[in-house]
Amino acid sequence: MKTCLVVDDSKVIRKVARHILETLDFNVEEAADGREALDRCSSQLPDVVLLDWNMPVMSGIDFLTALRRSENGEKPKVVFCTTENGLGHIQAAIDAGADEYVMKPFDRETLQSKLQIVGAA
């Protein structure tokens, strides 16, 4: 079973994402900020990271930069999932190593489509 780490400071978003991902046969872990997510990745890398941009402690972009620099950090597929829809944000995410970008709010079909694009669904 594939694994997904959902990184978002909103408990509601984490719960919604977990529900969708579990229906897509993912084993789901959660983190409330980038630092917690980085700690989880250092112990075991997930197949996919669903990542929010704006979070306390460590932002999504800072997490992604640190992840990609870490040992085997290029392996997880990273899908940014955020309300930030400016071209500058999307380009910054791609430049930092994001594989895909999805806008909040999202639904099962949208998320499944993005996961298929990155080869994780």
Side-chain angles (χ1 to χ4, degrees):
M1 182 176 280
K2 291 193 177 190
T3 58
C4 183
L5 177 61
V6 178
V7 187
D8 200 300
D9 58 325
S10 167
K11 190 173 184 174
V12 172
I13 295 294
R14 291 194 313 267
K15 184 176 181 177
V16 168
R18 172 184 285 277
H19 174 73
I20 292 170
L21 289 160
E22 286 176 345
T23 68
L24 297 172
D25 294 325
F26 277 87
N27 183 14
V28 180
E29 295 289 326
E30 299 179 21
D33 61 63
R35 171 55 51 202
E36 184 182 344
L38 207 53
D39 291 345
R40 287 185 180 272
C41 288
S42 69
S43 62
Q44 183 173 357
L45 284 173
D47 296 305
V48 180
V49 177
L50 189 63
L51 182 62
D52 186 25
W53 189 288
N54 297 307
M55 295 178 290
V57 184
M58 179 185 270
S59 71
I61 199 78
D62 290 339
F63 161 80
L64 180 56
T65 301
L67 174 69
R68 292 303 193 214
R69 289 182 181 153
S70 68
E71 185 177 344
N72 295 318
E74 74 286 351
K75 289 189 177 180
K77 299 296 183 182
V78 176
V79 178
F80 255 104
C81 180
T82 182
T83 58
E84 300 293 347
N85 63 359
L87 232 54
H89 281 94
I90 295 170
Q91 189 61 54
I94 300 301
D95 289 348
D99 296 288
E100 257 304 333
Y101 205 93
V102 64
M103 299 305 303
K104 290 179 187 173
F106 55 88
D107 58 17
R108 184 181 191 279
E109 292 76 27
T110 302
L111 191 53
Q112 185 175 21
S113 171
K114 296 296 183 176
L115 292 170
Q116 286 172 338
I117 289 169
V118 301

